[in-house]
Amino acid sequence: MIKLQEIAAILLAEEIDFAELSKATEGFRTLLLEMSKLNLKDDSLRNDVHTSEGMAIGTEWAARCVDDMVRTKRFVKGVAEAIEHQLNLGHKPVELLYAGTGPFATLVLPLLTVYSPEELQLTLVEINDVSFKAVQGLFKSNDFSPYLRALYQADATTLQLDEPKRFDILLSETMQYALQKEPQVAITLNLLPQLREDALLIPEEISLDLVAIRQVGLGVTEPTALAKLLVISRETLTFSPLWESTATSFPPVDYQLVDDDLAHAQELGISTTIKVFGTQHIGFNESGLTIPKRILNVEELPAGKKTISCRYHLGAKPGLVSTIT
Ligand SMILES: C[S@@+](CC[C@H](N)C(=O)[O-])C[C@H]1O[C@@H](n2cnc3c(N)ncnc32)[C@H](O)[C@@H]1O
């Protein structure tokens, strides 16, 4: 069986070799299931947790996130670049807070073959009972336990950290495309203000744009950005009315469509792009996290209606709500 060390080397490679990455991903999934003793056919793995800030996906779906190859590669490499950045600044060990680990702490596990416990310490947070128990079991092993600073079964949208200034990196991947349904934004808004100003956020930036989508080949689409709808980063959140406040929606963004915008497009939609960290980005349609969310087919646009208003809401069903007037 492929070893975690070999998987790490493939995930950390500069270039993507899809054949090699596909083999490594399959090997990684097999290894994770074997180490955690999870059986994906077990019904208890399918329970989502619904909170007032969004849905925490069930263990099976969280486990299957590993299969989104480009996502997993870019996140693991981005996390490694953030660890290097903090080590170079003299933070040793680098203290990483991982909110929403799923059953395997997938996005950091391969890095435990690269860094020593003197260089990297982990604080893990997971809300789902089955996922929490799985990750707890995994970190009892002699290989991984030296890296574990703390492990909480808690809701990361409300968790108050005991020693928030300890952390050098906040990592969370609790999102779907268009930042809908899952609590990525609420988790970031709860945890980031508790940390030091120089603590790094991963993903560093998530952008949602209003886009005109054009078919350019069989199954190949190309977006043209029309308006920036939301940017989630340390910089934008610090200046947002939602920073350390109880507001539940971001300011609306209105966009006046002109005929040129739609001249060659078939659809209007929302694109998601992610700067993970450093050199690592996930572009339009590269991963399940960045597929476009359709708003409407251009031919369905009601006559005379030309202003699109979009507003991102937090809450039990987070996401962008758009209206056309
Ligand atoms: C999309 S999965 C990603 C799992 C893993 N981090 C990965 O990237 O492969 C998100 C995980 O975050 C957990 N989660 C979602 N909302 C949470 C919350 N409010 N507090 C703690 N964990 C949460 C879910 O239960 C799920 O295990």
Side-chain angles (χ1 to χ4, degrees):
M1 191 194 290
I2 188 167
K3 293 203 181 92
L4 197 54
Q5 221 156 1
E6 297 166 57
I7 293 163
I10 292 166
L11 294 174
L12 294 175
E14 287 303 325
E15 304 292 336
I16 295 190
D17 170 334
F18 278 98
E20 188 183 58
L21 183 57
S22 165
K23 247 167 71 191
T25 302
E26 212 173 308
F28 192 17
R29 187 192 336 103
T30 307
L31 188 68
L32 291 168
L33 289 172
E34 181 153 317
M35 287 192 297
S36 63
K37 313 253 180 311
L38 279 185
N39 175 1
L40 290 187
K41 292 197 181 116
D42 186 338
D43 281 349
S44 71
L45 269 60
R46 304 215 176 99
N47 294 332
D48 298 328
V49 179
H50 295 273
T51 79
S52 59
E53 296 296 343
M55 179 182 65
I57 58 171
T59 306
E60 175 176 349
W61 325 123
R64 290 193 189 281
C65 288
V66 68
D67 294 334
D68 188 339
M69 298 190 293
V70 170
R71 174 208 82 114
T72 303
K73 176 164 176 21
R74 299 263 160 81
F75 265 86
V76 171
K77 190 157 170 57
V79 173
E81 290 188 18
I83 293 170
E84 290 296 332
H85 179 98
Q86 295 297 45
L87 282 173
N88 286 337
L89 289 177
H91 298 291
K92 198 172 165 197
V94 171
E95 298 279 350
L96 188 149
L97 172 62
Y98 187 174
T101 59
F104 315 130
T106 307
L107 302 177
V108 296
L109 211 68
L111 299 176
L112 306 189
T113 66
V114 176
Y115 298 101
S116 69
E118 289 71 40
E119 292 172 314
L120 178 63
Q121 284 291 302
L122 305 174
T123 297
L124 308 178
V125 184
E126 173 56 52
I127 194 170
N128 179 292
D129 201 39
V130 180
S131 295
F132 174 78
K133 289 199 174 105
V135 80
Q136 187 180 43
L138 212 54
F139 275 81
K140 279 188 181 141
S141 80
N142 291 341
D143 285 344
F144 304 141
S145 64
Y147 293 88
L148 190 61
R149 170 78 63 207
L151 175 64
Y152 300 106
Q153 183 174 14
D155 182 346
T157 68
T158 52
L159 176 68
Q160 292 302 305
L161 298 161
D162 288 339
E163 289 181 87
K165 306 301 176 207
R166 164 193 286 282
F167 297 106
D168 303 302
I169 299 174
L170 166 60
L171 163 66
S172 192
E173 193 282 82
T174 41
M175 64 178 283
Q176 293 186 16
Y177 64 98
L179 286 170
Q180 57 187 340
K181 299 182 189 159
E182 291 186 51
Q184 179 87 32
V185 181
I187 288 177
T188 308
L189 279 168
N190 175 47
L191 295 177
L192 195 61
Q194 298 182 46
L195 307 191
R196 297 192 319 267
E197 277 180 23
D198 65 342
L200 302 173
L201 173 65
I202 300 179
E204 205 173 3
E205 188 176 294
I206 306 169
S207 296
L208 303 187
D209 287 85
L210 178 68
V211 288
I213 301 169
R214 191 160 69 104
Q215 199 89 32
V216 290
L218 199 61
V220 185
T221 52
E222 202 175 75
T224 302
L226 304 177
K228 200 136 283 296
L229 302 178
L230 185 72
V231 179
I232 299 297
S233 68
R234 176 182 271 284
E235 205 183 341
T236 56
L237 288 181
T238 309
F239 294 106
S240 140
L242 280 83
W243 187 254
E244 292 182 310
S245 87
T246 54
T248 57
S249 49
F250 284 78
V253 177
D254 292 335
Y255 182 75
Q256 189 81 40
L257 287 167
V258 294
D259 290 344
D260 259 9
D261 290 338
L262 306 174
H264 305 288
Q266 287 78 42
E267 287 185 345
L268 273 180
I270 297 161
S271 75
T272 308
T273 46
I274 303 171
K275 281 188 198 166
V276 181
F277 188 81
T279 62
Q280 298 303 298
H281 301 241
I282 308 178
F284 180 79
N285 242 344
E286 271 196 301
S287 133
L289 301 184
T290 62
I291 55 177
K293 181 176 160 73
R294 197 184 76 87
I295 297 179
L296 51 72
N297 282 338
V298 167
E299 60 205 22
E300 290 166 6
L301 191 67
K305 304 233 170 189
K306 283 292 168 74
T307 303
I308 298 212
S309 181
C310 297
R311 183 166 206 173
Y312 190 84
H313 293 268
L314 299 171
K317 289 190 181 153
L320 271 169
V321 175
S322 50
T323 51
I324 304 174
T325 49

